[in-house]
Amino acid sequence: MDKIRNMSRESRSNFITYGMVIIAYAIMQALASMHAISSSMTGLLVPITAYICMAISLNLVVGVSGELSLGHAGFMSVGAFTGVVAASALAGAIESTMLRLLLSIVIAGVAAAVAGILIGIPVMRLRGDYLAIVTLAFGEIIKNLLNNLYVGLDARGLHFSMTDTASLGMDGGKVLVNGPQGAVGFPMISTFTAGFLLVMFTLIVVQNLINSRSGRAIKAVRDNRIAAESVGIDTTKYRLMAFVVSAALAGMAGALYAQNYTAIVPKKFDFNTSILILVFVVLGGMGNIRGGIISAALLTILPEKLRFIGDYRMLMYAIVLILVMLFSNNAQVRMQIEALRHRISHRVDDQLDAQAAKGGDAR
Amino acid sequence: MTRDEGTYKAQSEHAAKTETRHEGTYRAQAERAAGKGAPEHRHNRQRTKMVAPPNDYLVPERDALLTPVLECRHLGIDFGGLKAVEDLNLMVGKTEIAGLIGPNGAGKTTVFNLLTKVYQPTRGTILLDGQDTAGMDTARVSREGIARTFQNIRLFDSLTVEDNVKIGLHNQVECGMWSGIFRAPRYWLSEQEFHRRALELLDVFNMADNADDIAGSLPYGAQRRLEIVRALATNPKLLLLDEPAAGMNPVETEELMDNIVKIRDDFQIAVLLIEHDMDLVMGICEGIVVLNFGKVIAKGTPEEIQANPQVVEAYLGKQE
Ligand SMILES: Nc1ncnc2c1ncn2[C@@H]1O[C@H](COP(=O)(O)OP(=O)(O)OP(=O)(O)O)[C@@H](O)[C@H]1O
Ligand SMILES: [Mg+2]
C-alpha cells in the first residue's frame, strides 16, 4: 500500500510536469497554425524551448546537486558550435533535415559532455564559492576560445585553425566558423516540434535520474556530504555525474538554439546568459523542475511583451524579477503563505470530518 | 610475527584455560615449545622459550577465537600541538557490545573519526576484521564494514525517511546511471528490492509507518533511531554509535538499549558506542574503555570500571 502511494505521488508530480509541457505545446502549435500569434512570438518558440532545456539541466546541478555553477552558457555554446559544424558536415550525406538536426543535437551533447568531464574533474575538487568562480571562468574561456576558432569545410572535409581563415588551407569550400563573427550561413533547421521533443527528452532524463539510485546519491551528497561518505557513497563520482549530464543536456539545447538562426556569435553565450539561466532556476525554486520551466518560458516572453514601453522595458523586467524574488524567497512571506495554506487545508479537513460524522461513516 | 599470532598470543589467559588453539601453526609452535613432537634439530639452535607478550586486550569469551572485528594499535592523532588521541590500543570482538566513555573533550568522537577516516591517523594501525585500513577513505571504510551515527545528527534532512534508508542501502543494491535514466528492467527490480529492504530495516525500530515523513521534521529521538537504521542498511560488521541516547527520554533510552542488543543478536555484528548515560553503558556494554585527555585510563567490565578509582577521579575530579 505504502509503496503504491509513494510511487504514485512521485510519478504523479512527474506526469503533471509532462502533461503541462504537452498541453502548452499543443496550444501553441494550434495557435501558430491558426496564425493567431504574432510573428515575434513565433520566432520565440524555439528559443523558449531551448531555454527551458537549459533551466531543467541547470536545475540538476544547482537544485539537485546543490552546486552553484555560473558557466552553464559555456556548455550551451560548445553544443551550439559543434551542432552547426556537425550539421553542415553531414549536409551532403543526409538528405532529411529532421535526421540531420537529430544527429547534430546528439553530437553536440557528446561534445558538451566531454567538455563537462574535462572541466568537471578539476572543479569537483572544489566546493561552494570556488566552484562558482571556476565555472564562471570556464564560461569566459570557452567564449574566448570560440572567438579564435576558425572552421572550414571543403571537398576534403573539415579544417580547424586557431589563427585565421587563411591558415585553414582550404581549396574552395565554405568557412563555417569565422572567429569573432561566429558561425554564418547555415540553414535554419530547428523547429518548434523538435524543441518540444528535446524538452520532453531533457525532462525524462532529469526526472528519471533524480528518482533513481544515482539521483538519491546526488541528493544525499547535497544534503550532507559527510553522512553520504559515511554510508559509502563516492561523493566526487555523483557530483561529477550531475555536472556532466547537465552539461550534455545544455549542449543539446545549444545545438537546437543555434540552428533556429542562420548566424550565431560566441558572445551570445556569455556570462549574462549563464546568469539569466540561473535566474530561471532560482525563480522557479531550486530543485523545482516545473517551476524552472514556467519561469524560463515567462521570462523569455516577458521582455518581448514589454517592448511597447520602449526603453523602460529592461527596468520593468528588473522590477518584476525583484518582486518575484522577494515573494518566492522571503522567509517571512513564505511563512505567511504556508500558514494560510495550513489554515485552508485544516478547514477542509474539519469539513470532511464534520461530513463524516454526519454520515456516521468515517471513511 | 604474523598478525594472527600476535592476536592470539594476546589471548594468553584464555588460550591457557581452554587449551584449544584453532591456529594450526600456532599449535605446532606451542607443542614444539613444550617439547612434544619436536622435529630433529639440524641446526645448533638454543631452545627458546616462547611466551605471550603482556597486553591488555579484552574481548568476550565467545569471540576470543574469532578474528576481532576491530583492532587499533598505537593509534594517535595530533591537531597542531594537541595530542587529541594518543597510543590507543583497542580490540572489539566479533559480536561484542563495547563502550567508549570519558569526560567531555576526552577524544571519543575523534576516535570514531579516525576509525571512519574522517581524519587520517597521525600514528598507528587500524585493523578491520583483520584488514589494515591504511590509505582507505571514508566511503571505502564503509564498504569494508564500518557504519556510524553522529553526535550531532546528520540525516539527509530534505529527503523522506525511506529515502534515507535507501541511501544507506546504496552499495547493497546495484542499478547504474543508464538503467536509472532509461528505466531498464534492472531499475524496476532494484527499486523493489530497495523498497522491501528499507521497510524491513525500518521495522527494526517500528518506524515503517514514518517511511514517507521528511527526515528533518522527525522528533529528535526518531532522528537518532533513523540514523541507526541508515547505518545498519550499509550491512556493517561494526556499528559505531556516538551518543545514541542523547536527547532521549528514559523510556526511549530503555527501548534503545533493548534495540541495540536486538541488533547485535539479529545481525551478529559488533557495536562500539560512546555514551554519557551510565545506566545505558553499564546496562548493555560488555567491555568498556575509558579515555581521558586522549589516553586510555582504564579497560574492563562494567563492574571493574565502576570500581576503578582512576575513572571515578576522571569523572568527578580528585576527591581530597
Ligand atoms: N578538527 C579538530 N581540530 C582541532 N581540534 C579538534 C578537532 N576535533 C576535535 N578536536 C579537539 O580534540 C579534543 C577531543 O574532542 P572530541 O570531540 O573527540 O571529544 P569527545 O570525547 O567526543 O567529547 P564530547 O563528550 O564532548 O563529545 C577536544 O579538545 C577538541 O577540541
Ligand atoms: Mg563527542
Side-chain angles (χ1 to χ4, degrees), chain A residues 50-111:
Chain A
Y51 281 128
I52 288 176
C53 292
M54 292 301 289
I56 297 170
S57 59
L58 185 61
N59 225 327
L60 184 57
V61 172
V62 175
V64 183
S65 179
E67 318 270 12
L68 184 55
S69 167
L70 298 178
H72 207 50
F75 296 116
M76 193 183 189
S77 69
V78 170
F81 284 87
T82 311
V84 167
V85 170
S88 303
L90 292 170
I94 297 169
E95 276 291 305
S96 152
T97 53
M98 234 8 203
L99 187 58
R100 216 179 330 139
L101 179 65
L102 176 69
L103 275 175
S104 72
I105 286 176
V106 170
I107 295 169
V110 172

Side-chain angles (χ1 to χ4, degrees), chain A residues 165-207:
Chain A
T165 44
S167 60
L168 286 173
M170 313 224 303
D171 55 23
K174 193 172 87 168
V175 175
L176 295 177
V177 179
N178 189 6
Q181 282 151 13
V184 281
F186 51 88
M188 284 173 60
I189 55 176
S190 291
T191 62
F192 182 41
T193 302
F196 159 72
L197 292 175
L198 189 61
V199 169
M200 289 302 285
F201 174 78
T202 307
L203 249 185
I204 289 170
V205 168
V206 171
Q207 299 207 122

Side-chain angles (χ1 to χ4, degrees), chain B residues 22-285:
Chain B
H22 86 306
E23 280 287 304
T25 54
Y26 184 45
R27 178 189 294 147
Q29 190 188 40
E31 284 172 351
R32 224 175 296 145
K36 282 186 280 181
E40 297 289 309
H41 289 285
R42 282 193 218 120
H43 301 286
N44 196 12
R45 175 175 59 75
Q46 292 283 309
R47 285 201 171 192
T48 313
K49 182 168 184 244
M50 302 294 283
V51 297
N55 76 39
D56 55 352
Y57 286 146
L58 278 174
V59 291
E61 189 172 359
R62 61 170 189 280
D63 294 336
L65 298 180
L66 304 170
T67 312
V69 76
L70 178 72
E71 185 182 347
C72 302
R73 289 192 200 145
H74 311 297
L75 191 61
I77 185 169
D78 302 343
F79 293 121
L82 175 76
K83 288 188 183 326
V85 174
E86 216 192 335
D87 202 30
L88 176 76
N89 292 299
L90 179 74
M91 186 181 279
V92 178
K94 198 124 213 157
T95 61
E96 179 179 354
I97 297 180
L100 180 60
I101 63 172
N104 289 112
K108 307 179 295 293
T109 300
T110 306
V111 170
F112 275 17
N113 285 337
L114 288 172
L115 296 179
T116 54
K117 299 291 173 156
V118 174
Y119 303 144
Q120 290 294 336
T122 315
R123 297 170 293 275
T125 320
I126 301 165
L127 301 173
L128 170 62
D129 203 16
Q131 188 190 0
D132 194 340
T133 65
M136 294 185 185
D137 63 6
T138 305
R140 174 77 198 283
V141 166
S142 155
R143 290 192 284 268
E144 296 296 332
I146 300 186
R148 76 175 289 186
T149 65
F150 296 87
Q151 184 171 353
N152 47 342
I153 301 174
R154 287 179 176 275
L155 286 172
F156 306 120
D157 282 332
S158 71
L159 306 181
T160 63
V161 168
E162 184 175 339
D163 276 351
N164 269 267
V165 184
K166 283 178 175 172
I167 292 165
L169 286 165
H170 185 81
N171 289 319
Q172 306 304 310
V173 185
E174 199 37 61
C175 174
M177 179 186 84
W178 298 109
S179 306
I181 289 179
F182 295 110
R183 295 280 147 112
R186 171 81 268 190
Y187 166 82
W188 299 105
L189 287 174
S190 72
E191 285 303 301
Q192 268 176 9
E193 172 98 355
F194 268 121
H195 178 72
R196 185 182 60 75
R197 289 177 67 172
L199 288 196
E200 222 171 79
L201 285 157
L202 283 169
D203 256 344
V204 173
F205 280 88
N206 288 321
M207 289 182 76
D209 289 342
N210 298 97
D212 291 344
D213 295 353
I214 298 299
S217 69
L218 290 178
Y220 201 74
Q223 292 200 8
R224 285 222 173 272
R225 287 191 288 271
L226 176 56
E227 252 202 329
I228 299 178
V229 176
R230 183 184 67 187
L232 269 182
T234 65
N235 190 24
K237 296 171 182 157
L238 171 64
L239 180 60
L240 307 176
L241 304 175
D242 199 341
E243 306 199 10
M248 285 191 178
N249 62 40
V251 179
E252 285 180 311
T253 306
E254 196 70 33
E255 260 174 47
L256 176 70
M257 289 165 68
D258 292 344
N259 276 323
I260 292 175
V261 176
K262 190 173 114 192
I263 286 169
R264 191 270 312 272
D265 293 344
D266 292 356
F267 294 81
Q268 284 294 304
I269 60 174
V271 179
L272 175 61
L273 59 88
I274 295 173
E275 189 49 69
H276 287 297
D277 183 333
M278 284 305 137
D279 290 340
L280 184 149
V281 175
M282 300 304 165
I284 62 171
C285 290

